[in-house]
Amino acid sequence: MSIGCDATSTNPRLTKGVRDADLRLVDLASVNIPFASDFGLEIEKAMKANQSIVFVHVEWALMEAQRRKFCDFVSAYRKAHLSDGTSFHYIDFTHVVHNKESLKELKRLNGWSELRSGVIHGNGELIWINRGKVVSIEPIMNFTFDELVKKTETTFSGDRP
């Protein structure tokens, strides 16, 4: 994906790559979630939280529809569950898929090996983490909005603080 100005126009405009990056920041800011490029630090925060949902971002996949669905979900879920303490994370996994040491770190996460071979597909996967254990990994687009909320409620039910 190119980043910069459209050289074929007399009216320079940002190319798709820049717009996507800018939109990502705007979308995430709307739900007060930073874009985390430090995989190790952010995944550690998610694993330490009582209940977490991590959105898996990779630079080499189109993520706009998945990202917007995630942001809409976060907003609605927070409104419906004001004080349940679920933390949300949007983490850049781009380097993880190309780095053997990072892949080893990912595979060492409690619960990861039981659910996944360690491959990130670039489908906007969500990772549900409950009390330091990865309990589910599924692409966000596998769900309607209502199913996504229900999946989260069911995944974390019985484990509310």
Side-chain angles (χ1 to χ4, degrees), residues 51-53 73-74 76-82 84 86 88 126 128-130 135-136 143-161:
Q51 298 163 169
S52 299
I53 300 173
F73 160 65
V74 169
Y77 190 86
R78 283 179 174 162
K79 285 178 188 169
H81 302 276
L82 288 175
D84 81 348
T86 299
F88 296 88
L126 291 179
W128 283 266
I129 301 168
N130 194 16
V135 293
S136 187
F143 301 93
T144 66
F145 191 76
D146 290 336
E147 290 169 339
L148 191 56
V149 171
K150 183 69 174 163
K151 159 80 174 167
T152 301
E153 291 170 343
T154 303
T155 299
F156 293 149
S157 69
D159 287 316
R160 299 277 180 218

Side-chain angles (χ1 to χ4, degrees), residues 1 4 11 19-20 25 33 35 39 44 52 81 84 86 89 94 98-99 101-102 112 119 130 138 156:
M1 187 174 304
N11 182 12
R19 284 196 308 261
D20 286 350
L25 296 177
I33 296 176
F35 175 70
F39 166 78
E44 185 177 328
S52 299
H81 302 276
D84 81 348
T86 299
H89 307 265
T94 303
H98 301 296
N99 181 306
E101 288 305 311
S102 294
W112 183 270
V119 177
N130 194 16
E138 296 190 50
F156 293 149

